[in-house]
Amino acid sequence: MNMTNIVLFPILIPFFFAIVLLFFKENIIVQRILVSLGLALSLISSIFLAYIVHTDGIQTVNLGSWAAPYGISMVSDAFSALLVTTTLIVTFFVVIYSFYAIDEGRERNYYYPAILFMITGINGAFTTGDIFNMFVFFEVLLMASYVLIVLGGEKRQLRESIKYMLVNVVSSALFVITVAYLYSIVGTLNMADISVKIAEVDQPGIITVIGILFLIVFGIKGAIFPLYFWLPSAYAAPPIPVLTLFGALLTKVGIYSITRTYTLFFVHDVGYTHMWLMGLSLLTIVVGCIGALAYFDLKQIVIYNIVIAVGVILYGVSLMDDFAMAGSVYYIVHDMLIKAALFLLIGVIIFVTGTSNLREISGLMKQYPGLGWTYLIAAFGLAGIPPLSGFIGKLLIVQGSFNAGHWIGAIAVLLSSLVVLLSVIRIFLYAFWGEPKETKPVNRMQYKKMMIPTTLLVILSVVYGVGTEWFMPLITDSKDVLLDPSLYIDAVFKE
């Protein structure tokens, strides 16, 4: 077997298992076994793929054996392999958590197939080397997310799903129009070839306009200012496991797309395109900070922390600096892990108290000390307390910001850490300190089962921070390919 075909495994395996699961609608046990098996096999293949990319370099597959740029290329570099692997890790733990947190009615209505179809789209978007194919994978993940956001049919879900769908339909239409504009100028859809063609014409003004249009398209999906307006209420509507997948994974596809296009295509007029990206990123941090402090709802506080992270990551990308880019790559993986862990922890808090209103929760530390200390570790990780993973990413971004002479941005990132710490510690002080309030009777066995995948995710995020040197080779490889487009281009055209 040609080893390069492993590039397709993290996409094809979830897709295959999703189709098989459609035939076992009523058998929940079989569904759980199959979805666990499918995700485990996908995760093993993605880890193996990341190892091959690190040892042998960027891997490419040309579908139908049509050489680039005439066929559709699938490209796995260190950046995409890292994101694919992290996506599958998060999804595996969320699915295990779902066994004890999702009602059987949802499980019987294609909950697990929808998750696997969504993962197919996410991993495809991370791996494709064709800009139109990226649109196709976006639509796959969005259609699956539409199912997940309405599943259960609660009034709030249906109301918010309409807004979510409308925003994404507009975004998708704009995506197609922008790709059409780009194709009319460069005459190709292959991303490596687009980079070559833009370099040949030296990025005229129309290409810069297209760059801003892509920023709008992906900014809607990635939730940057002022295009984040739909996210807080839409993400809070579905159950916690679905919110976890959305919060940890979906915005990262938008961030990845901005990062890929702004390091591969639009690199000849960075004084304009990247200054826009920088300005919007800093404003995204500000509005995220305001939202995180304004709410007393557990879900909303962490959802606005997603917005802060989007701003921090894209600010690092906009600097086009070695340290800042490495910091952004490191931070995006950290954020996927820690946000998933925090949302699952909040799900456990809601499970034991019956509410997400912070004012109605108190004294949980006396009844659930394990939950309290696990939450505190995750909160410190999110805020960037050394040596946890949030610290290393922000440190690199701040260092890159000072190197580039952007001290205002560096100060904004540092101040955002204080706001993040304040927002998550406020949850800890309100929910876990004080006199215990009367809570509903809780199934202790179910509580313990929900805590297992949650705790493992928190441990994984701690390992990611404490063992940074183990992961730095992949982070460095990712940074190198983002800052030197020729590595990506040569790999695609190496035939």
Side-chain angles (χ1 to χ4, degrees):
M1 183 186 75
N2 186 351
M3 288 309 295
T4 56
N5 288 335
I6 198 169
V7 170
L8 302 175
F9 284 17
I11 304 166
L12 293 179
I13 295 172
F15 182 68
F16 170 76
F17 275 88
I19 292 171
V20 172
L21 278 167
L22 295 175
F23 296 97
F24 295 95
K25 180 176 181 287
E26 296 300 324
N27 196 326
I28 291 173
I29 300 299
V30 172
Q31 282 198 66
R32 290 177 176 179
I33 292 169
L34 286 174
V35 72
S36 302
L37 179 62
L39 286 169
L41 290 173
S42 304
L43 180 55
I44 291 166
S45 70
S46 73
I47 292 170
F48 187 50
L49 173 60
Y51 171 75
I52 288 180
V53 167
H54 178 59
T55 53
D56 297 344
I58 299 170
Q59 301 295 303
T60 62
V61 174
N62 294 316
L63 302 183
S65 297
W66 284 81
Y70 305 107
I72 294 174
S73 299
M74 304 298 286
V75 185
S76 183
D77 60 6
F79 188 38
S80 68
L82 204 55
L83 294 183
V84 165
T85 304
T86 311
T87 296
L88 289 165
I89 290 170
V90 167
T91 309
F92 182 79
F93 285 117
V94 172
V95 163
I96 301 300
Y97 181 93
S98 297
F99 296 164
Y100 316 108
I102 282 284
D103 60 275
E104 291 191 0
R106 284 186 170 93
E107 286 186 293
R108 285 197 172 91
N109 278 292
Y110 307 109
Y111 173 71
Y112 297 118
I115 287 177
L116 291 181
F117 279 127
M118 190 171 81
I119 298 309
T120 301
I122 291 170
N123 287 349
F126 287 150
T127 310
T128 185
D130 181 283
I131 194 69
F132 185 78
N133 216 29
M134 182 182 279
F135 165 76
V136 173
F137 280 119
F138 263 85
E139 293 308 296
V140 171
L141 74 89
L142 284 172
M143 282 189 283
S145 72
Y146 297 156
V147 174
L148 289 171
I149 200 171
V150 300
L151 204 57
E154 294 170 12
K155 185 178 178 181
R156 185 183 182 190
Q157 283 181 263
L158 295 173
R159 185 183 69 243
E160 293 302 332
S161 67
I162 293 169
K163 184 199 301 179
Y164 177 74
M165 289 180 191
L166 282 173
V167 166
N168 279 295
V169 165
V170 171
S171 171
S172 296
L174 189 57
F175 193 174
V176 173
I177 292 166
T178 308
V179 169
Y181 279 152
L182 184 62
Y183 182 75
S184 71
I185 293 161
V186 296
T188 181
L189 294 170
N190 182 284
M191 287 160 70
D193 202 31
I194 290 170
S195 181
V196 172
K197 294 290 199 306
I198 290 175
E200 286 173 357
V201 296
D202 198 28
Q203 191 167 336
I206 185 64
I207 296 287
T208 302
V209 171
I210 289 168
I212 298 299
L213 285 173
F214 270 123
L215 182 58
I216 294 169
V217 169
F218 298 136
I220 293 172
K221 298 181 188 300
I224 66 170
F225 178 86
L227 307 168
Y228 72 97
F229 62 90
W230 58 272
L231 183 139
S233 55
Y235 276 20
I240 285 291
V242 177
L243 163 58
T244 306
L245 289 172
F246 284 15
L249 305 180
L250 290 194
T251 51
K252 306 308 179 292
V253 184
I255 292 171
Y256 167 84
S257 304
I258 292 171
T259 304
R260 180 65 79 192
T261 53
Y262 269 57
T263 55
L264 190 61
F265 300 168
F266 312 113
V267 291
H268 307 282
D269 189 14
V270 293
Y272 188 81
T273 51
H274 289 58
M275 288 307 291
W276 266 101
L277 179 58
M278 182 183 296
L280 292 176
S281 300
L282 292 173
L283 287 170
T284 305
I285 294 173
V286 172
V287 296
C289 289
I290 293 168
L293 294 178
Y295 283 90
F296 273 83
D297 182 90
L298 292 170
K299 292 181 183 178
Q300 292 292 351
I301 291 168
V302 183
I303 285 170
Y304 272 99
N305 272 290
I306 296 172
V307 178
I308 296 172
V310 169
V312 170
I313 295 163
L314 289 176
Y315 174 70
V317 171
S318 71
L319 293 167
M320 295 297 280
D321 171 88
D322 269 35
F323 286 106
M325 192 65 77
S328 288
V329 173
Y330 185 91
Y331 200 85
I332 193 171
V333 174
H334 145 79
D335 197 62
M336 291 165 83
L337 294 173
I338 203 70
K339 285 296 191 309
L342 272 170
F343 279 123
L344 295 187
L345 282 164
I346 280 169
V348 177
I349 294 171
I350 294 170
F351 171 72
V352 299
T353 61
T355 180
S356 64
N357 187 339
L358 206 48
R359 293 188 178 95
E360 297 174 11
I361 309 170
S362 179
L364 288 179
M365 187 60 89
K366 293 180 181 176
Q367 299 160 293
Y368 304 97
L371 173 61
W373 294 119
T374 306
Y375 173 82
L376 188 62
I377 293 167
F380 282 163
L382 180 68
I385 303 296
L388 300 174
S389 54
F391 171 73
I392 291 103
K394 281 188 178 173
L395 178 68
L396 289 166
I397 291 170
V398 167
Q399 190 172 348
S401 189
F402 280 124
N403 286 349
H406 293 288
W407 57 271
I408 293 176
I411 291 170
V413 171
L414 290 171
L415 289 176
S416 76
S417 292
L418 294 176
V419 174
V420 170
L421 181 61
L422 183 59
S423 69
V424 289
I425 288 300
R426 191 175 54 153
I427 293 176
F428 184 74
L429 294 176
Y430 270 81
F432 292 96
W433 284 155
E435 286 303 310
K437 290 187 178 178
E438 194 173 319
T439 57
K440 61 171 190 169
V442 169
N443 181 335
R444 297 293 295 199
M445 184 55 68
Q446 186 178 350
Y447 160 76
K448 288 176 182 175
K449 287 177 178 176
M450 289 169 72
M451 279 301 291
I452 291 169
T454 307
T455 307
L456 287 173
L457 256 181
V458 174
I459 291 169
L460 204 57
S461 75
V462 172
V463 169
Y464 184 58
V466 175
T468 300
E469 68 274 12
W470 302 332
F471 304 100
M472 279 317 285
L474 265 178
I475 305 293
T476 304
D477 289 349
S478 303
K479 176 262 297 179
D480 289 343
V481 79
L482 289 170
L483 290 176
D484 184 1
S486 64
L487 297 173
Y488 185 95
I489 295 164
D490 293 345
V492 173
F493 290 117
K494 69 183 177 190
E495 297 295 323

